[in-house]
Every structure is written in structure tokens, then in C-alpha cells.
Amino acid sequence: MTVPDTERPSWASLPLEQTVALRAAAGRLADDFTGVFGTETIERFLHSSFDQFAGRATVPQFLPLIAERFARQRLRALAKIEGLHDDGKPTVLFLCVHNAGRSQMAMGFFTHLAGDGAVAWSGGSEPGTQVNPVAVEAMRERGIDISAEFPKPWTDETVRAADVVITMGCGDACPIFPGKRYEEWTLDDPAGRAIDDVRAVRDDIERRVRRLLAELEVPVRA
């Protein structure tokens, strides 16, 4: 799934509050990527990221913030691909179908355990509208809050920038790029399952994430 870049956006077609929020987001992104990307590239990525979520947002007022976070991830990936910025940290992309359960829990564990030692992203082949609340609760029991996350698609930038791609049941819909390290994790889908079932999936994911961090030689935080 490629999220296309559009021509330079016209904010005038959006409601005033979203226009103001997106311009503010563009300014923050410009500060983050000073000397890396110009205004036109940043606004193009921000606009296409906004469009990706506009048709399925459950809380429209959060759209500019979600678009900003997604655009920042994509721009960081692009900077790594193009050799404009690379901090040398291992980057892992977790993929499932809806990016609402398994891949979100995996990213939560990876980020929590690795701290600043590595980077984790997640995505879905058919992103849902919200993260599974039972998965959120199961992770909260382990002291990890994934409630602020949101289902998102994978993009060419994030796949190409990842050092390891972990797939979880997305089958032929998962992106394949030659020469990249892939692993398939066979895990039950938490969708529609009771908390006890999701806890079992959660614990399996934690074991796999810890093993992956050891393989990547990333120290695990206590």
C-alpha cells in the first residue's frame, strides 16, 4: 500500500479550525526537518497523510494531530532511505491486517523495552478505525499505554527504511522488498476475543519481542 503524495495542498478547502491546526503542524514539522526537507515536501506529506485518515476518522478534531504524527514518521523514513539522516538505531516495522491489535501490542512492547535504543513502527494492510480496546486494557495491565495509538497503513517509505519487517497474518497483502529481513509471527487475532485470550496473545508477543531485541543486540530496559 503506497500513500501517494499529492500536489502542494490548498488548506482553504478545509474548515478553518483544521486549516489553522494543519498550518501549525506544518510549522512544527519544518522545525523538526530543518536542513533536511523543504516546505513543499513537508506540506505534501502532511496533506497526503491527512487525506489518508479523513474518510474514516471517528473524531475529526484529532485529524490534524494524527496527520502530523503520520507525516513525521514517513518523513523520518524518507530521510533514512535517502541518506539525509540516519541515527544508526535498528528500525523494526510490525505489520498485521488492521493495525489494531497484534502489531500495536508488539510496537508497544518494543518501544517500552528498547527505550531510545531502537525504533519501532507499525502498520496494516487494511487499517481499522481504532485500536482494539481489549488490547489496550491487556497492555495497560503490563504498564504500557497504547491508547493514544491509531491504526495506520504501511507505506513504501516505512517498509524500505525498516531493518526488520515483522508480519502477522496479512499474507499476500504484506509488502515484499528484496533483500530485507522478514519474519512471520503466527499469532491469534485479538479482534472479538475476551481479555483472557488477549492476555495469552500479549504474553506471546512479549516473548517474541524480547527475543528480537536480543538478536538485534539492543539492551532491554529494566
Side-chain angles (χ1 to χ4, degrees):
M1 176 184 298
T2 301
V3 177
D5 295 330
T6 60
E7 295 180 356
R8 189 167 181 173
S10 171
W11 308 122
S13 61
L14 299 174
L16 178 60
E17 63 273 17
Q18 290 187 344
T19 299
V20 172
L22 283 169
R23 289 196 180 282
R28 289 189 292 270
L29 290 170
D31 290 341
D32 289 349
F33 292 96
T34 299
V36 181
F37 296 118
T39 299
E40 185 171 346
T41 297
I42 288 169
E43 290 194 355
R44 191 168 66 246
F45 270 70
L46 180 59
H47 188 262
S48 60
S49 296
F50 181 91
D51 287 347
Q52 175 63 36
F53 298 99
R56 55 188 177 86
T58 56
V59 187
Q61 60 264 38
F62 291 154
L63 266 172
L65 176 60
I66 291 173
E68 178 183 353
R69 289 174 60 188
F70 191 44
R72 181 176 285 106
Q73 175 181 299
R74 295 174 61 205
L75 287 165
R76 285 174 177 167
L78 183 63
K80 181 177 179 179
I81 293 167
E82 296 188 347
L84 300 174
H85 178 73
D86 186 356
D87 55 17
K89 298 177 182 179
T91 299
V92 177
L93 176 63
F94 296 99
L95 298 177
C96 64
V97 179
H98 301 303
N99 191 216
R102 291 165 291 184
S103 55
Q104 292 286 1
M105 289 192 287
M107 184 176 70
F109 273 122
F110 191 97
T111 301
H112 177 76
L113 294 170
D116 293 332
V119 177
W121 296 326
S122 68
S125 55
E126 300 176 14
T129 57
Q130 66 174 354
V131 176
N132 184 338
V134 183
V136 172
E137 178 58 29
M139 293 297 288
R140 186 177 289 120
E141 293 177 350
R142 300 302 302 274
I144 301 173
D145 185 5
I146 61 171
S147 62
E149 296 300 328
F150 53 93
K152 64 189 80 65
W154 59 266
T155 69
D156 282 356
E157 304 97 12
T158 54
V159 178
R160 292 169 59 199
D163 299 300
V164 182
V165 179
I166 305 295
T167 61
M168 307 176 190
C170 45
D172 293 341
C174 283
I176 301 297
F177 284 75
K180 189 165 296 296
R181 175 182 171 182
Y182 286 88
E183 289 186 22
E184 170 68 22
W185 288 2
T186 303
L187 298 160
D188 291 333
D189 188 346
R193 294 180 178 269
I195 185 68
D196 286 344
D197 294 330
V198 176
R199 286 178 182 134
V201 176
R202 175 202 65 192
D203 294 346
D204 191 358
I205 289 173
E206 181 180 7
R207 287 190 291 270
R208 293 169 185 264
V209 168
R210 286 182 178 274
R211 184 174 67 245
L212 176 61
L213 286 167
E215 292 171 355
L216 295 174
E217 300 182 345
V218 175
V220 172
R221 295 193 304 176

